Amino acid sequence: MKKLLLWLLLVLATPAMAQHSGADKTKVLFVGYDPAKPLPDMKRYAPGMMSEKEFTAEYPVRMPAFKALLSQYFAEVKTMDCRDWKPEDSAPYDVTIFDFPTNVVEPAKQEKDEKGKVNYISARYLPDDFSKPVVFIASTADQMGRRIGLKLDWLCLCLDADAHHLNSQHAIFKGPLEKVVPTMVTKQTPDGIFHYATGADVPKEIPMWRVQNTGYLDGKGVRIGLVSRGNRFSESPDVEMISSGVCQKDVGAVALGRHGNFFLWGFGASPADMTEEGKKVFVNAVAYMKQFDGKTPISRKYNDRMATTDDVREIIANVTKKSYDDYVSELKTFNEGNAKENKRLNDKKAAGQALSPEEEAKLPYVGRAQEIDSWETYLKRRMGKLAGRFGNDGPAFQKYLSDNFDYIYCDPDGFFDYSIDEDVQQIGVPNHSVKLLETCVSMLKKNERPELALKVLKRYTGEGFSTAKDWSDWLTKNKKKLFFSETNGYRFIVNTYSK
């Protein structure tokens, strides 16, 4: 064990990095699993959604690898077991890195609202007002950030080893510790991108940047990375989308991004398996986050299952025969693969060979074929509550939504629920435009349909004023600071960062 740790320290301290030792005064706290402590309980699954074998093999290596890399650049680096961390432990440090989730402060629960709807409340790991800069590794971002409304949510635990569509001009490639010109290699575009309307114009091959040496798609049992939803990700001034990555989702899925004082490093590898460029950009990201101390998110996202206008665009684009044919082809391929895996596992079992815990867990599921909808059922599902109005007339459905796109309202508490806001439609001004608020205030002043104006103002601001003067004063004061957030209440929000 001691030889392994010594080897890691020597390998990670390359000449190029050694010259930076102690160069940055940033104090860093790394929170993960301390290999000096016993392994955590893995009765249900291993941390990081790894297999027990993979997690156990990496357990003695992971924290020392991060410690060695960070110590080459930062004046003070402390490591702490995630089972011991408390919010006050981060107070003396400029940046905290969470490699794995800490202890749950409040367990997940279900609550019924006044309408009888059951709502799932995620487990709490952090206080709502936690303001210290944070870097999350992979799935830890969603696990710890969901309760406090971070956009660093769990779209898919399927991020491999390469980044693409990256903003190479972003500060984390410029420094402050290392300047990195990402080595871009043209590779085949992930197939998942082409299953989305946003992938229509993406070439079959795109430039990619290798972040870690080994990906889970290589079949070598490494920690899988996380991508977050890109839909309306960058709608607010407290957010930065830096890069997507190789995964099964759309081209806008977020692999590297920031929301307030929280940063998503979606890739799962420790420095022991990062590329040299990946290591440098990682330490740059840690140093970059120091400036966001106290810059908590302005806009929060508490329902990752709400629809956005990006989702509606996808629905409009997919109500076609071509999209249906792609859907049928995709499900047939999935079912064929499932059937093969089911046969493999059952043959292995019949031969008297023991299945791994992971194989045992998936055996009940791989034998189930996904039902393929008919064209009519496919249309009905995508049209949702508008199916009764348009039947099998896809073009009419598309035209209706396209013609009324400026009035689409997505229910922030719903499950991918959207509608046309007929109140705004009557006024005739797009609901994402500040002009709507100006028009409604003007209507109040002139006593033109005041009930309608007041209803719309309250819906799209969350404010409760009742007089034209109060609304006018509020709008005059905040007009230049307003931005529209779909994911935080589907309303206008004041940019509190703006002076």
Side-chain angles (χ1 to χ4, degrees):
M1 179 69 69
K2 290 182 179 178
K3 289 182 179 180
L4 174 61
L5 298 183
L6 178 62
W7 177 83
L8 276 169
L9 289 170
L10 292 172
V11 169
L12 291 170
T14 61
M17 292 182 176
Q19 62 181 325
H20 294 283
S21 181
D24 191 281
K25 295 182 180 180
T26 301
K27 296 179 181 179
V28 179
L29 175 64
F30 180 84
V31 181
Y33 282 103
D34 184 346
K37 285 179 164 275
L39 284 161
D41 174 44
M42 290 184 278
K43 289 179 181 177
R44 294 182 61 193
Y45 51 80
M49 307 305 289
M50 302 169 74
S51 73
E52 183 175 346
K53 179 181 178 181
E54 294 160 4
F55 180 80
T56 303
E58 194 180 34
Y59 193 73
V61 175
R62 192 171 180 93
M63 182 179 278
F66 275 106
K67 171 76 170 179
L69 173 63
L70 295 167
S71 295
Q72 297 302 316
Y73 288 90
F74 301 108
E76 183 177 342
V77 179
K78 180 181 178 180
T79 59
M80 174 179 283
D81 193 275
C82 55
R83 292 162 287 190
D84 298 329
W85 181 86
K86 296 179 180 60
E88 55 267 27
D89 292 322
S90 289
Y93 297 90
D94 298 305
V95 182
T96 300
I97 302 169
F98 289 110
D99 190 30
F100 289 100
T102 57
N103 289 330
V104 172
V105 177
E106 295 176 23
K109 57 185 177 181
Q110 291 183 334
E111 292 181 348
K112 276 188 179 181
D113 61 22
E114 56 276 8
K115 296 180 180 179
K117 177 184 175 184
V118 177
N119 297 308
Y120 175 79
I121 310 298
S122 301
R124 177 182 293 282
Y125 294 85
L126 296 168
D128 288 321
D129 59 354
F130 190 82
S131 61
K132 298 300 292 185
V134 164
V135 175
F136 286 123
I137 307 294
S139 56
T140 307
D142 176 81
Q143 291 167 288
M144 294 186 68
R146 181 181 293 248
R147 179 66 179 270
I148 62 172
L150 299 188
K151 288 189 172 185
L152 312 179
D153 59 13
W154 189 313
L155 171 60
C156 184
L157 192 71
C158 57
L159 177 61
D160 197 48
D162 287 277
H164 60 76
H165 287 82
L166 67 158
N167 175 13
S168 60
Q169 299 306 306
H170 190 274
I172 64 171
F173 295 100
K174 304 297 182 182
L177 303 177
E178 291 273 13
K179 182 171 182 177
V180 178
V181 179
T183 300
M184 306 302 291
V185 178
T186 300
K187 298 183 181 181
Q188 185 176 344
T189 302
D191 184 62
I193 286 176
F194 300 117
H195 295 308
Y196 296 83
T198 50
D201 297 323
V202 178
K204 298 296 183 184
E205 294 184 333
I206 54 176
M208 295 190 188
W209 174 53
R210 193 77 171 179
V211 181
Q212 54 193 60
N213 295 309
T214 311
Y216 83 96
L217 292 176
D218 296 322
K220 296 184 180 179
V222 299
R223 183 176 179 182
I224 305 173
L226 177 89
V227 288
S228 296
R229 288 171 176 80
N231 289 357
R232 301 294 297 185
F233 185 81
S234 301
E235 67 186 6
S236 56
D238 54 347
V239 170
E240 295 179 278
M241 198 307 199
I242 301 170
S243 173
S244 187
V246 173
C247 63
Q248 298 169 15
K249 300 299 180 179
D250 63 292
V251 70
V254 182
L256 299 176
R258 178 182 69 85
H259 186 192
N261 53 309
F262 300 92
F263 190 95
L264 168 65
W265 183 271
F267 296 91
S270 81
D273 194 46
M274 289 181 187
T275 63
E276 290 304 309
E277 291 181 0
K279 294 175 194 174
K280 292 175 182 178
V281 176
F282 177 77
V283 295
N284 280 345
V286 174
Y288 174 70
M289 287 304 294
K290 179 180 178 179
Q291 66 187 294
F292 297 104
D293 191 2
K295 296 288 187 179
T296 54
I298 304 168
S299 177
R300 305 272 181 163
K301 179 182 180 182
Y302 293 103
N303 178 13
D304 64 342
R305 297 299 194 271
M306 74 164 288
T308 68
T309 50
D310 291 334
D311 294 302
V312 178
R313 287 188 179 91
E314 190 74 22
I315 290 169
I316 294 171
N318 283 328
V319 182
T320 65
K321 195 66 169 62
K322 180 183 181 303
S323 293
Y324 173 70
D325 291 341
D326 289 344
Y327 151 81
V328 171
S329 176
E330 186 179 353
L331 274 192
K332 282 183 176 178
T333 301
F334 175 82
N335 285 339
E336 289 169 2
N338 245 13
K340 288 180 181 178
E341 180 66 358
N342 183 55
K343 183 177 185 304
R344 182 186 75 81
L345 295 180
N346 279 302
D347 287 350
K348 182 177 179 180
K349 202 167 185 177
Q353 301 176 37
L355 300 183
S356 69
E358 291 74 33
E359 288 175 328
E360 286 283 5
K362 70 179 180 180
L363 185 58
Y365 303 99
V366 292
R368 301 177 187 174
Q370 289 284 328
E371 184 179 350
I372 299 176
D373 291 337
S374 65
W375 166 241
E376 292 74 18
T377 302
Y378 172 89
L379 276 181
K380 185 176 181 180
R381 289 185 189 277
R382 275 144 189 81
M383 290 183 184
K385 57 189 177 185
L386 291 173
R389 178 172 177 174
F390 294 101
N392 294 335
D393 195 343
F397 169 80
Q398 291 175 310
K399 184 177 187 306
Y400 173 73
L401 286 185
S402 297
D403 289 349
N404 292 283
F405 203 85
D406 286 341
Y407 314 125
I408 286 173
Y409 180 82
C410 298
D411 183 355
D413 298 317
F415 184 82
F416 295 105
D417 185 29
Y418 68 95
S419 59
I420 302 301
D421 189 332
E422 295 180 353
D423 294 327
V424 179
Q425 191 180 43
Q426 287 183 59
I427 297 171
V429 179
N431 58 8
H432 285 43
S433 171
V434 175
K435 187 180 177 182
L436 174 65
L437 306 184
E438 294 175 322
T439 301
C440 288
V441 170
S442 177
M443 289 168 66
L444 284 180
K445 288 179 177 179
K446 296 176 183 178
N447 203 30
E448 289 181 3
R449 296 182 289 175
E451 291 183 359
L452 174 64
L454 195 59
K455 183 180 179 182
V456 170
L457 282 170
K458 289 182 177 181
R459 179 181 304 153
Y460 285 98
T461 66
E463 301 292 341
F465 308 118
S466 57
T467 68
K469 183 182 184 306
D470 287 341
W471 280 109
S472 181
D473 290 346
W474 177 85
L475 186 56
T476 299
K477 177 184 176 182
N478 296 299
K479 180 179 175 182
K480 292 183 179 180
K481 299 179 182 180
L482 292 175
F483 66 93
F484 196 92
S485 173
E486 293 191 9
T487 56
N488 188 11
Y490 213 81
R491 60 195 171 102
F492 288 95
I493 291 177
V494 177
N495 177 8
T496 52
Y497 288 179
S498 180
K499 295 180 181 179

